[in-house]
């Protein structure tokens, strides 16, 4: 029994299907970002939900900054390693609408050293290694919570949460990099 001749039509998606898919994706993307200025006026994003999410994110970043300050107070030798990470977390606080922390309120100055008035309110582990591991766990936990919160907030705030969550995951990696 002879085999039928191969068809002349190429396998896989056709050019027209790809163009239609690309145009549809572009329209969908434009539709998703149109009107998403972070004002929270769309369904599921009432101003109170957006305002609460921003306040919670700022408060969480402020708390993480306090953890960094406590570790820096207990282990000043870690200042070169933790300073840039702490500065980024302080900028996250500002991005969410929170006040900057530090004696002068400037994140760049706060990155160099913890403010003199900072008290190690969060408990600091007994070794540098344990302190770094605890900071990494805090960064990871906060990044996970922010990633979950993406579903509850509109446009710009969701993008900001996603960006800050990614930064937190990177911080967690950097904090544990030497322990592997």
């Amino acid at each position: 029994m002879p085999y039928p001749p191969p068809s002349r039509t190429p396998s896989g998606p056709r050019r027209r299907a790809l163009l239609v898919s690309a145009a549809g994706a572009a329209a969908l993307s434009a539709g998703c970002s149109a009107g998403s200025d972070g004002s929270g006026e769309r369904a599921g994003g009432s101003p109170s939900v957006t305002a609460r999410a921003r306040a919670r994110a700022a408060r969480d970043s402020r708390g993480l900054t306090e953890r960094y300050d406590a570790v820096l107070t207990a282990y000043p030798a870690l200042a070169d390693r933790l300073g840039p990470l702490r500065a980024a977390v302080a900028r996250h606080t500002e991005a969410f609408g929170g006040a900057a922390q530090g004696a002068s309120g400037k994140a760049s100055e706060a990155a160099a050293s913890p403010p003199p008035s900072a008290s190690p309110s969060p408990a600091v582990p007994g070794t540098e290694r344990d302190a770094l591991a605890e900071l990494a766990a805090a960064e990871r936990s906060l990044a996970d919570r922010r990633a979950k919160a993406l579903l509850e907030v509109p446009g710009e705030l969701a993008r900001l949460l996603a960006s800050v969550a990614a930064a937190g995951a990177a911080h967690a990696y950097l904090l544990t990099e030497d322990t592997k």
Side-chain angles (χ1 to χ4, degrees):
M1 173 176 206
Y3 291 105
S7 71
R8 297 227 155 214
T9 58
S11 63
R14 296 180 185 222
R15 186 179 328 169
R16 185 175 306 166
L18 289 175
L19 290 173
V20 169
S21 296
L28 180 60
S29 173
C32 287
S33 63
S36 60
D37 59 356
S39 64
E41 293 181 14
R42 295 186 345 206
S46 70
S48 61
V49 169
T50 302
R52 282 195 314 266
R54 278 187 174 278
R56 181 175 45 250
R59 188 174 49 249
D60 289 344
S61 290
R62 193 174 311 112
L64 189 55
T65 303
E66 290 170 1
R67 283 180 182 251
Y68 273 98
D69 288 342
V71 171
L72 285 167
T73 298
Y75 303 107
L78 293 174
D80 288 343
R81 183 172 181 182
L82 297 183
L85 301 178
R86 187 231 180 257
V89 173
R91 284 191 303 273
H92 297 161
T93 303
E94 292 174 5
F96 288 118
Q101 285 189 298
S104 65
K106 293 184 181 175
S108 60
E109 289 180 19
S113 63
S117 62
S119 61
S121 51
V124 178
T127 67
E128 286 183 4
R129 184 181 180 125
D130 290 343
L132 291 173
E134 185 179 270
L135 277 174
E139 286 272 17
R140 197 174 300 111
S141 173
L142 185 53
D144 290 346
R145 284 197 318 264
R146 286 179 170 158
K148 289 177 186 172
L150 292 174
L151 301 174
E152 301 168 7
V153 296
E156 287 302 314
L157 181 55
R159 285 187 277 279
L160 179 59
L161 280 171
S163 176
V164 173
H171 290 180
Y173 170 78
L174 292 171
L175 289 166
T176 58
E177 184 178 37
D178 291 340
T179 60
K180 294 180 181 179

